[in-house]
Amino acid sequence: MAEPGHRLSARGRGTTERRTPWLLRLLLWAGTAFQVTQGTGPELHACKESEYHYEYTACDSTGSRWRVAVPHTPGLCTSLPDPVKGTECSFSCNAGEFLDMKDQSCKPCAEGRYSLGTGIRFDEWDELPHGFASLSANMELDDSAAESTGNCTSSKWVPQGDYIASNTDECTATLMYAVNLKQSGTVNFEYYYPDSSIIFEFFVQNDQCQPNADDSRWMKTTEKGWEFHSVELNRGNNVLYWRTTAFSVWSRVSKPVLTQLMYKWAKPKICSEDLEGAVKLPASGVKTSCPPCNPGFFKTSNSTCQPCPYGSYSNGSDCTHCPAGTEPAVGFEYKWWNTLPTNMETTVLSGINFEYKGMTGWEVAGDHIYTAAGASDNDFMILTLVVPGFRPPQSVMADTENKEVARITFVFETLCSVNCELYFMVGVNSRTNTPVETWKGSKGKQSYTYIIEENTTTSFTWAFQRTTFHEASRKYTNDVAKIYSINVTNVMNGVASYCRPCALEASDVGSSCTSCPAGYYIERDSGTCHSCPPNTILKAHQPYGVQACVPCGPGTKNNKIHSLCYNDCIFSRNTPTRTFNYNFSALANTVTLAGGPSFTSKGLKYFHHFTLSLCGNQGESGFSKSITAYVCQAVIIPPEVTGYKAGVSSQPVSLADRLIGVTTDMTLDGITSPAELFHPESLGIPDVIFFYRSNDVTQSCSSGRSTTIRVRCSPQKTVPGSLSLPGTCSDGTCDGCNFHFLWESAAACPLCSVADYHAIVSSCVAGIQKTTYVWREPKLCSGGISLPEQRVTICKTIDFWLKVGISAGTCTAILLTVLTCYFWKKNQKLEYKYSKLVMNATLKDCDLPAADSCAIMEGEDVEDDLIFTSKKSLFGKIKSFTSKRTPDGFDSVPLKTSSGGPDMDL
């Protein structure tokens, strides 16, 4: 808390030299200022109010603190006021106010003064302010490391009145400041950094010495004077670091290469060559031609190796300028071991008391470097390579999803008669090296690659131990480890062994290399940038040619900049009968799952805690930027074990860095999700499986970890549903490399479509008929379309249709009757005419007189009909009509005789 009288204005200026010092003006905006408690001196006189001031003690676990009186000069007075209960720890004054410690209340600043409230500002640099510390170290490691470190004692940050400046030599100078924030805050500072040959970095570490994930760690050079920089700080302890290093491979002259084969006794020499039977040291060999320098270096006239200037490359002989349309691929490539490179050191660490010994652990041997004998077989033979930082090629656009900053590749071999071990370790920001990989026993000549994902000062360490038995003897000196080559890419201030094609940009001075937009690859022949095709991503570290665009997996698509494949919670599955559409948006939020309890060898209980995120939105998470995985695993230690109010989470591990694909198949890209791990589904809807991979490669998981999430339709389980682990593998994995989860939810069902409902039509009531739509049972869909509303139509009742039927039947009967009479009448006329014709034909055959006319005159048929029909009844006529045709096919016609006698058939 700032008090009246503090000068808190920021003023400053910068100076420029041949190598300009780095300048700093700092404004720290914290949640609550820190307090320093001092002790009291021997009893003298009672302290006056002007001889002491008040401070707060540190807050306890309940958020309480005490106000105590602290003398300005310890030992001058006594009888200080008793401690009193202080204000709560979350209490703070606003800007423009200060905390009056006497009555513990906020009061406005006096006229002409101001206060930042919860912040504190440093702008007077006549001396190093309280709380700051300045350290120095030597990054140029060689055999005289202790002497070199001593030369760096004066290379520190020096206060210059209204600014503080760093050193300008090859030493590393670090300015540190620690602060404990009661709430989250920010740190703001101005800096002047015009010299790019000095490496300047700013980072923050928490109380676990873990740096924050800030992309702005490496500061940009200032082109227009002083520039402003701001970084957010988390609640709790924060340690601020400002570090500068003038590291360069040009800064030290390489030692002369060997020109003669020589033999020396291994140090320390623990044998006698004068005893009987002792082997004599072989004579030195004849002089031979010097082997070439390492790639990127050239040989001078005095047989020394010097780095080629930027823009050129070499194979170890002469430097050649990169052709137009190319750029140097800077890095370090060591394959000739005539001398130990200047950025490498070797030593021996005792395997018994873990103390460093003043002896060499690795020896150079022309085309390889190998482990020396050491003092005992269980000593660790240490080889360390330090890289100050990394810088991607100019033509490669920064990719937030492809975390690869650089990579280190080395070829090694171990020859062991016992169970030796070779460790490869990586250290970041001068922290303790972390083992990355271990090889036990004899290993044939092979290559290993490690991906570097953080742009910071990095150390690589190889440690070889012949045996783990604590014996101060040397029985296995013939067991050795050999390293043939080491290649580190994208090293800051590195050298180039070749030039790579780059994208060209036309300018007034000609064509120069430029970076392609995100998602574009470089065409080698033309040097132009081309966008990757749809549904592909640019994952290659060197994006040359369309083959650098990798297709996305099933159920995924590329984001706008072609940096990753993602699923937007939408999925479709086609079958011969229909298409099933899914929308998993209701499952997009992060969910957690705890495995069963486990116990350490001492009986302490812990849990494996999983955090899952099913799908994303083009890879841009809406959560904190610290979330970088789809699935994370952490170890939870319950409160009853730790003694705290809440459990402790530790050892976070990423199980799913990238999405491979979404499908209903059980295998994708070499990853299998066995169905027998979970209880079978019973609805006939296949599970939708999300496949993920992790780049976290370990010795047991040489291909990295993989994760599958089965999303199963369960209509009875409301959103978000339930997560479960395999019954046979309580921690989600049966082999430590492949993890499996089952997510059952109603939101995992297909979207409803017209095939999921049917219509029910009611009977006609009072001239109205209703059509109702209902879901098919069981309902196996969610969301999608809604049920159509009930439809009402006008209809006719059964009585109406009965009346219509009777009326229609009556009309039909009448019509049929009329037609029957009509055709009967018509038939009678035809029958009469036919009979006439038959009679005339009979008379002709019997020589009877011919008729005057064969036709029936108009009007004659009426009289004949009357005569004919009067002879028989209606029934008789019908009967006679049906019997007129005889079986032989002829008709029989009744004839009358002239005498009126009986009829006679002819």
Side-chain angles (χ1 to χ4, degrees), residues 666-675 677 691 706 708 738-740:
M666 290 191 297
T667 301
L668 179 64
D669 193 32
I671 306 174
T672 301
S673 175
L677 291 179
F691 291 84
S706 66
T708 65
N738 302 290
F739 292 78
H740 308 280

Side-chain angles (χ1 to χ4, degrees), residues 197-243:
S197 64
I198 299 177
I199 302 170
F200 170 46
E201 52 183 325
F202 171 75
F203 58 96
V204 182
Q205 289 185 347
N206 57 19
D207 48 3
Q208 282 81 37
C209 296
Q210 297 174 346
N212 63 346
D214 196 344
D215 298 334
S216 58
R217 173 189 182 94
W218 299 95
M219 306 302 295
K220 298 179 180 179
T221 57
T222 56
E223 300 178 355
K224 299 180 181 179
W226 291 79
E227 291 191 7
F228 185 80
H229 188 70
S230 177
V231 174
E232 295 182 359
L233 301 177
N234 296 326
R235 180 178 179 270
N237 292 324
N238 292 266
V239 183
L240 315 180
Y241 291 86
W242 295 267
R243 178 185 294 170

Side-chain angles (χ1 to χ4, degrees), residues 757-760 769-775 785-793:
Y757 66 81
H758 62 94
I760 298 178
Q769 189 175 49
K770 298 180 180 180
T771 302
T772 306
Y773 299 90
V774 296
W775 297 112
I785 65 173
S786 303
L787 282 175
E789 295 183 357
Q790 188 182 59
R791 189 175 62 181
V792 178
T793 57

Side-chain angles (χ1 to χ4, degrees), residues 397-719:
M397 179 68 109
D399 189 346
T400 58
E401 297 303 327
N402 185 6
K403 301 178 182 179
E404 180 176 340
V405 175
R407 59 177 57 192
I408 178 173
T409 303
F410 58 92
V411 178
F412 71 99
E413 179 184 19
T414 58
L415 302 173
C416 302
S417 58
V418 291
N419 193 22
C420 63
E421 293 183 352
L422 175 63
Y423 301 89
F424 175 62
M425 298 174 286
V426 178
V428 178
N429 295 329
S430 302
R431 295 205 307 266
T432 304
N433 288 330
T434 302
V436 173
E437 194 61 82
T438 304
W439 296 272
K440 297 182 179 180
S442 295
K443 298 295 181 182
K445 193 174 182 180
Q446 57 186 280
S447 175
Y448 177 80
T449 299
Y450 175 78
I451 304 299
I452 303 160
E453 297 183 349
E454 188 173 357
N455 190 357
T456 182
T457 301
T458 307
S459 63
F460 306 100
T461 301
W462 295 263
F464 179 73
Q465 187 181 35
R466 291 177 170 86
T467 179
T468 57
F469 295 108
H470 294 178
E471 297 180 1
S473 61
R474 297 197 305 177
K475 298 179 181 179
Y476 310 107
T477 54
N478 291 330
D479 294 1
V480 296
K482 298 180 180 180
I483 295 179
Y484 293 91
S485 65
I486 300 176
N487 187 7
V488 188
T489 64
N490 299 341
V491 175
M492 186 180 298
N493 294 335
V495 295
S497 60
Y498 68 98
C499 296
R500 60 164 64 96
C502 67
L504 297 180
E505 179 183 42
S507 63
D508 297 337
V509 295
S511 298
S512 60
C513 290
T514 185
S515 60
C516 289
Y520 284 69
Y521 65 90
I522 301 174
E523 182 63 41
R524 288 182 178 270
D525 297 334
S526 61
T528 56
C529 300
H530 297 270
S531 176
C532 280
N535 288 330
T536 62
I537 58 173
L538 190 64
K539 293 294 287 186
H541 193 60
Q542 297 179 354
Y544 303 118
V546 69
Q547 63 273 11
C549 302
V550 182
C552 290
T556 65
K557 56 185 177 182
N558 64 279
N559 59 352
K560 294 180 181 179
I561 61 174
H562 291 269
S563 62
L564 59 82
C565 297
Y566 76 102
N567 176 269
D568 55 358
C569 297
I570 303 298
F571 177 72
S572 296
R573 180 173 66 91
N574 296 322
T575 65
T577 56
R578 61 175 290 191
T579 298
F580 293 90
N581 297 313
Y582 296 81
N583 189 335
F584 302 120
S585 299
L587 307 179
N589 294 331
T590 302
V591 294
T592 59
L593 171 66
S598 301
F599 299 89
T600 65
S601 58
K602 296 183 179 180
L604 299 179
K605 183 169 63 174
Y606 65 94
F607 299 88
H608 280 112
H609 186 266
F610 301 94
T611 304
L612 292 83
S613 179
L614 189 66
C615 47
N617 49 349
Q618 303 193 28
E620 301 171 1
S621 175
F623 307 99
S624 169
K625 59 183 177 182
S626 61
I627 299 178
T628 58
Y630 287 94
V631 181
C632 297
Q633 175 189 271
V635 175
I636 301 295
I637 304 175
E640 59 267 23
V641 177
T642 61
Y644 297 106
K645 293 183 178 180
V648 176
S649 176
S650 64
Q651 302 178 14
V653 176
S654 171
L655 303 180
D657 296 334
R658 64 188 188 275
L659 178 63
I660 302 300
V662 183
T663 179
T664 56
D665 299 333
M666 290 191 297
T667 301
L668 179 64
D669 193 32
I671 306 174
T672 301
S673 175
E676 59 271 12
L677 291 179
F678 304 98
H679 60 274
E681 63 87 18
S682 58
L683 300 178
I685 300 179
D687 297 337
V688 179
I689 308 176
F690 287 70
F691 291 84
Y692 308 89
R693 281 197 186 278
S694 172
N695 295 326
D696 191 2
V697 177
T698 63
Q699 186 173 6
S700 58
C701 307
S702 58
S703 301
R705 292 184 173 94
S706 66
T707 300
T708 65
I709 302 178
R710 282 180 168 265
V711 183
R712 177 172 296 176
C713 173
S714 297
Q716 71 278 9
K717 295 186 177 182
T718 58
V719 177

